[in-house]
Amino acid sequence: MTASRRLIMGESRRPGFKSRPEHQTLSFVKDAHKPYISLTVLSESAVIMMDGTTRTVVSNYDKLMEKAKGIIVLESARSLMLWDMETKMPPKGITLRSEQLALLKQFEHRMCIDPEIGALLQEIQAQPGYEALTKLQKKNLSLLRKKYDEMTKLPEELVVETAKQRVIAYNTWKKAKVAKDFSLFEPELEKLVNLRRRAAEILMNAKGTATPYDALIDIFEPKMPADEIAKIFDELKKGLVAIVEKCRIAPKQPDVSILKRKVPIDAQREISNSLAKFIKYDVDSKEAGGRIDETEHPFTSGYYDDVRITTHYYENNFTSSMFSILHEAGHAIYDQNLNSEWMYQPIGEGCSYGFHESQSRFVENMIGRSLEFWVYYLPKLKELAGNTFSDVELDTFVRAINQVEPSKIRVEADEVTYCLHVIIRFEIERELIAGKIAVADLPKIWNQKYEDYLGINIENDSEGVMQDVHWAQGYFGYFPTYALGNIYSGQILVALEKDIPDWKGQIKKGSFHKVKQWLANNVHQHGKLYSPLDLLRKITGEEINVKHYLDYLNEKYAKLYGFNQRH
Amino acid sequence: MTASRRLIMGESRRPGFKSRPEHQTLSFVKDAHKPYISLTVLSESAVIMMDGTTRTVVSNYDKLMEKAKGIIVLESARSLMLWDMETKMPPKGITLRSEQLALLKQFEHRMCIDPEIGALLQEIQAQPGYEALTKLQKKNLSLLRKKYDEMTKLPEELVVETAKQRVIAYNTWKKAKVAKDFSLFEPELEKLVNLRRRAAEILMNAKGTATPYDALIDIFEPKMPADEIAKIFDELKKGLVAIVEKCRIAPKQPDVSILKRKVPIDAQREISNSLAKFIKYDVDSKEAGGRIDETEHPFTSGYYDDVRITTHYYENNFTSSMFSILHEAGHAIYDQNLNSEWMYQPIGEGCSYGFHESQSRFVENMIGRSLEFWVYYLPKLKELAGNTFSDVELDTFVRAINQVEPSKIRVEADEVTYCLHVIIRFEIERELIAGKIAVADLPKIWNQKYEDYLGINIENDSEGVMQDVHWAQGYFGYFPTYALGNIYSGQILVALEKDIPDWKGQIKKGSFHKVKQWLANNVHQHGKLYSPLDLLRKITGEEINVKHYLDYLNEKYAKLYGFNQRH
């Protein structure tokens, strides 16, 4: 039932890693003896037969990568402090934490706008030896150039003020949500929106996007204009609304009463660990690279060898923790299975937010809510949950966890209505950043759209416009990636089925190994080497296409609800 | 039984805070809107009637304090990353963590050696308006000058290499300790010793201390030369050995069998929380400024509003967690009760490591192992531990927890033999830094001293020279502060008794309030405004004096063991 947010390192996600043999770790530790900002070391492979210009290019490249590494390491440190803020920090620590985060953000900003980066990039691209660089090296340079160009346009004062306002707005949001009082949150949100609009204007000019909002989306999903998204989402909306309606009128409705059965928190924790193990997210061994904690809103945070996820446990709603674990573990294995040779390089992270979401949704829904998985896992669940489910049959269970029913809360939405929640947010923030909507009007507009798209009446803003954390932290342009991820996952599924026709049989037998290997090879290992649409083309051979995701849903829910998928 | 190490922020401890009313927090949050490095803001109080030179001085002072704040905030961030490394980090994350710590250390170093600090300090001290500054402001400047002078002498390369070697040596130590194999640890320790000796040489010249080792001690305990310490420790050693002997031959020996009784870990956790509550260390409320976690070696880490402690639980050794909680809570309330107006200023931290230790030992031993405390707490313990202790009498219990017996492990040593463990380390590291002892010879020398001073035979290096973490992290000059703290606590006790003659009665009745208030007013609130010996003089009216601590021990153990204290 849960499709949850992920904690963000600055404004770009950083993922991945491949199980690294001990000797590599040791050799890295040896390197660690050297001063952090080392003198430029020529790449050994290139040293032997290069002419003067190539030598300069390689030397400049290494200098730039050393700088990129510093930025990445600092981002990972700040990300840990955010993780701690959510999971472990004593409440009184918030003011100190806001100082710490602002300071690190300020360092990060200064490192990103280091004029030497600009000079080295200009120099390297002007030299004839530039052509000797590999595709991978060129991509590293272009990612660094993109970041540099974006950041040099933002004044430090704006960056620092935004970092602080993110913390303040977030904490105000928490209080306002408890108090169910949007008016508490409104002034802090308004300040944050204004700061982000200022940044968006500047970034629009730097990137040459059509609108300020496009410039914000580009942070999370490169080269994906709002106009394009709107077109795709319109098609998606039509398809989803049709499926929702078919489910609504189907005679064969699921019995969801079993989902309310009490499962003790300790048993749920064991279930979490067993699911993590199934997905090959390692949290429990002596060499583990991850851990599971508890927060109100589940998220994933980390980099390569230290990728942490969170979940929440409700005694009366055991599926909440189950599916949030699967969702976050889907993110986590992406981060852990990036190419280990690319650690500390710009290409050493997930392709985009949308792609990351495609992986989490794939694991959560296409695996975790599939009949095949439950053929294998229902007996395990029965074992771990005591006698709670001994009378439950497979069919009843699978239909219950796939119930389609319009609801108020995005993170609790079923697979079919989920993207409608996202589309509402996309439409609202697009207008908000364009200045066509005032912050004060958000509750009214929000509630109207829930009425229109989902037939849902929102009674208070805590279960309405204040339900998500994203806006409270200034992440505008983030939401559309959730729906894009689902669309990608539909296309990735078709490619997977071509390569491993028996993949469902594997899952039935309790093995995620081959599927995970396929995902690692075809998605995770490519890091940021390609743009989202290029990677999609490489994996699937086609452009972005809503059809496959809608086909997947139609086929699945036709079976579950007994309707005719052709209509 | 536990007197444990504390996690260190760089090389200086940072503490304290006083329960801060909500409106102050809010007003601080408002300031947080401003860019972090703000333009210089003139102190309001000084604006009205100052001449030109005063205005410059005040403006320069504010600029310097802004820079000091940046350093302090960064140190607190690095401290959190160290805390996480000990408590929560997945094992695989260690290499990334060493990169993160090295980078932050590098930033910190650069901030400390900022030439503008040097220039501003020079300018401000040369101006006639300098005299208009308060004593407090002058102390802030002199602490900043001390740090600046020390740091500008250390080359960045040395600082960064040391930071990395600390992590490597620490992790090697962990493995070597498990393997009981000093030869694994030796090469990494040797590198670290050499790095610290290089630093010590440089610092000796900068500070003008008599020896390199003196320069290292000065980091933890300012103005306390090794020669002086040796003299004091010799007196202490003589006194302790006499008490140990009196206890050994006393006919009335304690029955310690009750200490082996099993107390379930969950019950021990409840006991921990209840002890924290008694000491007024707040870890459990909605506005808490602390938390308790579990690590092999207990420590305290944090700054003002976010001060965390750790402990360890052994089912068969319940006193271990009890006394480590009391010890660390003693540190923690020091940090939490510093003057809140001094937060982010150089004076806003504990006076010295020795003074910090005086507080932790006071709470652990003078409170936690006193008859009076157990009059109050034994019934509580009986309640929390189920039926485990229902048959145990007060006298038996108090004598058991105060058993004097020479042992191998410092952190498990009793109150009387404890300082002998410390004196051994002091004597060894003094010679080690002087280059009179080779790292390879440490085990032999260590074992000999344990034989000589404690009559103890060390069978393997994991319970010998590798038992403590300090050297593995490069903290030479730290150990003597443990014994100095005990000596201070004896003198502080006399002053407390003068001001609150009935303090033992208060404890008996279960109230730590008045004692804590006295400690806050007389010790904590003064932060770093005075040097250790000046603060000691201010509190007690006398110089450092071993007599009071020995008197306290003699009186206490004469009663417990039934010997005549006059002899």
Side-chain angles (χ1 to χ4, degrees), chain A residues 68-314:
Chain A
K69 180 179 174 183
I71 295 166
I72 288 165
V73 169
L74 187 56
E75 277 179 350
S76 73
R78 197 161 57 83
S79 162
L80 181 85
M81 308 216 57
L82 287 165
W83 173 87
D84 180 80
M85 183 167 95
E86 297 293 317
T87 55
K88 307 295 172 192
M89 187 185 76
K92 209 182 254 169
I94 184 63
T95 310
L96 174 60
R97 184 56 45 89
S98 100
E99 292 286 341
Q100 294 163 332
L101 290 171
L103 184 64
L104 294 193
K105 186 78 187 175
Q106 188 182 47
F107 283 139
E108 205 177 301
H109 186 242
R110 282 184 189 169
M111 287 173 92
C112 289
I113 63 167
D114 178 357
E116 218 187 317
I117 293 180
L120 283 166
L121 281 170
Q122 195 163 13
E123 205 182 311
I124 202 169
Q125 277 158 345
Q127 271 157 347
Y130 176 73
E131 288 312 316
L133 294 177
T134 63
K135 176 181 160 191
L136 181 158
Q137 289 172 318
K138 284 179 188 162
K139 185 69 184 187
N140 268 332
L141 291 177
S142 81
L143 287 170
L144 191 58
R145 145 98 38 219
K146 181 171 186 267
K147 189 154 200 162
Y148 176 78
D149 285 349
E150 282 175 6
M151 298 292 273
T152 47
K153 307 296 177 184
L154 295 182
E156 179 170 321
E157 156 265 318
L158 177 61
V159 172
V160 173
E161 202 172 340
T162 305
K164 288 197 173 176
Q165 187 59 24
R166 282 186 207 272
V167 176
I168 293 160
Y170 170 64
N171 283 290
T172 311
W173 166 78
K174 282 208 271 198
K175 285 178 196 155
K177 200 176 169 184
V178 171
K180 300 179 186 173
D181 185 352
F182 181 78
S183 73
L184 285 178
F185 180 40
E186 192 195 313
E188 300 303 344
L189 178 62
E190 187 159 4
K191 279 178 211 154
L192 191 53
V193 169
N194 289 338
L195 288 165
R196 292 311 289 152
R197 287 181 64 199
R198 263 180 70 198
E201 289 276 350
I202 296 167
L203 293 176
M204 172 181 73
N205 294 327
K207 296 169 185 235
T209 58
T211 69
Y213 183 51
D214 286 323
L216 295 183
I217 297 173
D218 186 75
I219 293 166
F220 306 99
E221 207 65 17
K223 300 179 189 177
M224 194 69 88
D227 274 355
E228 281 291 319
I229 295 175
K231 224 165 23 182
I232 299 164
F233 280 8
D234 280 347
E235 197 185 336
L236 181 62
K237 184 159 65 177
K238 235 179 276 170
L240 294 177
V241 166
I243 301 172
V244 173
E245 181 59 13
K246 281 190 244 177
C247 291
R248 194 184 65 82
I249 60 173
K252 194 181 164 191
Q253 294 293 324
D255 168 13
V256 296
S257 61
I258 48 162
L259 304 185
K260 294 266 161 78
R261 292 191 186 170
K262 274 191 190 178
V263 178
I265 306 297
D266 279 348
Q268 292 194 43
R269 287 204 185 97
E270 273 194 67
I271 294 166
S272 288
N273 284 330
S274 112
L275 291 172
K277 205 171 164 186
F278 173 80
I279 294 301
K280 315 267 180 218
Y281 169 57
D282 183 15
V283 291
D284 217 10
S285 76
K286 279 196 173 176
E287 293 296 318
R291 55 176 288 133
I292 300 173
D293 292 272
E294 292 167 38
T295 52
E296 193 189 337
H297 303 275
F299 66 87
T300 303
S301 165
Y303 184 64
Y304 277 82
D305 298 351
D306 183 353
V307 181
R308 310 178 184 193
I309 69 175
T310 71
T311 187
H312 47 196
Y313 296 105
Y314 306 116

Side-chain angles (χ1 to χ4, degrees), chain A residues 17 25 28-29 32-37 69-70 73-74 76-77 80-81 83-84 88-93 95-97 99-100 103-104 106-107 110-111 160-161 164-165 168 188 191 286-291 303 305-306 308 344, chain B residues 17 25 28-29 32-37 69-70 73-74 76-77 80-81 83-84 88-93 95-97 99-100 103-104 106-107 110-111 160-161 164-165 168 188 191 286-291 303 305-306 308 344:
Chain A
F17 153 91
T25 309
F28 182 86
V29 169
H33 292 232
K34 290 181 202 153
Y36 181 79
I37 300 278
K69 180 179 174 183
V73 169
L74 187 56
S76 73
L80 181 85
M81 308 216 57
W83 173 87
D84 180 80
K88 307 295 172 192
M89 187 185 76
K92 209 182 254 169
T95 310
L96 174 60
R97 184 56 45 89
E99 292 286 341
Q100 294 163 332
L103 184 64
L104 294 193
Q106 188 182 47
F107 283 139
R110 282 184 189 169
M111 287 173 92
V160 173
E161 202 172 340
K164 288 197 173 176
Q165 187 59 24
I168 293 160
E188 300 303 344
K191 279 178 211 154
K286 279 196 173 176
E287 293 296 318
R291 55 176 288 133
Y303 184 64
D305 298 351
D306 183 353
R308 310 178 184 193
Y344 305 125
Chain B
F17 153 90
T25 308
F28 183 86
V29 169
H33 291 231
K34 289 183 201 153
Y36 181 76
I37 302 277
K69 178 178 174 183
V73 169
L74 187 56
S76 73
L80 181 85
M81 308 215 58
W83 173 87
D84 180 80
K88 308 294 172 193
M89 186 186 75
K92 208 183 255 169
T95 310
L96 173 61
R97 183 56 45 89
E99 292 286 340
Q100 292 164 334
L103 184 65
L104 294 194
Q106 189 181 46
F107 283 137
R110 284 185 188 168
M111 287 172 91
V160 173
E161 202 172 340
K164 287 196 175 178
Q165 188 59 25
I168 292 160
E188 299 304 343
K191 279 179 211 154
K286 279 196 174 177
E287 293 296 319
R291 53 176 290 132
Y303 184 63
D305 298 350
D306 182 354
R308 310 177 185 193
Y344 306 124

Side-chain angles (χ1 to χ4, degrees), chain B residues 152 157 159 167 224 255 271 296 307 328 362 373 384 441 493 512 529 537:
Chain B
T152 47
E157 158 265 319
V159 172
V167 176
M224 194 69 86
D255 168 13
I271 293 166
E296 194 190 336
V307 181
E328 304 306 337
F362 177 85
F373 175 68
L384 291 168
D441 296 330
L493 185 65
F512 187 60
L529 186 56
R537 211 175 293 117

Side-chain angles (χ1 to χ4, degrees), chain B residues 71 106-118 147-156 159:
Chain B
I71 295 166
Q106 189 181 46
F107 283 137
E108 206 176 302
H109 186 242
R110 284 185 188 168
M111 287 172 91
C112 289
I113 63 168
D114 179 357
E116 220 187 315
I117 292 180
K147 189 154 200 161
Y148 175 79
D149 285 347
E150 283 175 7
M151 298 292 272
T152 47
K153 306 297 178 186
L154 294 181
E156 178 170 322
V159 172

